[in-house]
Amino acid sequence: HAMLKPLAIEKGKPFNPEEHDALMRMPSEEYDEGVVMQEIAPGYKLGGKILRHAKVVVSQDLTPSDSES
């Protein structure tokens, strides 16, 4: 029998659109661009199929954009 399992989300791992749903991006000195910084809501899979993506915050480069200068 297939069991419902939460996705194992680790801070510092690269963003994966097949498992993650990025709710926002935040500047970070700790992480490189495009890295999971925080899990907001867990994702789940059933028998290897993703039922719900994990909702996460993804790191953004600290370089200010051209519109801010």
Side-chain angles (χ1 to χ4, degrees), residues 20-47:
H20 307 141
D21 183 9
L23 295 186
M24 70 176 118
R25 292 168 42 128
M26 291 182 59
S28 172
E29 292 181 356
E30 184 178 353
Y31 298 110
D32 292 333
E33 172 94 16
V35 171
V36 174
M37 294 174 53
Q38 178 184 355
E39 180 182 38
I40 295 175
Y44 295 95
K45 66 172 148 182
L46 181 65

Side-chain angles (χ1 to χ4, degrees), residues 2 5 9 11 15 19 22-23 25-26 28 30 34-36 38 43-44 47 51 55 64 66-67 69:
K5 295 181 182 176
I9 303 303
K11 289 183 193 176
F15 173 75
E19 292 185 352
L23 295 186
R25 292 168 42 128
M26 291 182 59
S28 172
E30 184 178 353
V35 171
V36 174
Q38 178 184 355
Y44 295 95
L51 296 181
K55 299 191 182 330
D66 292 335
S67 61
S69 34

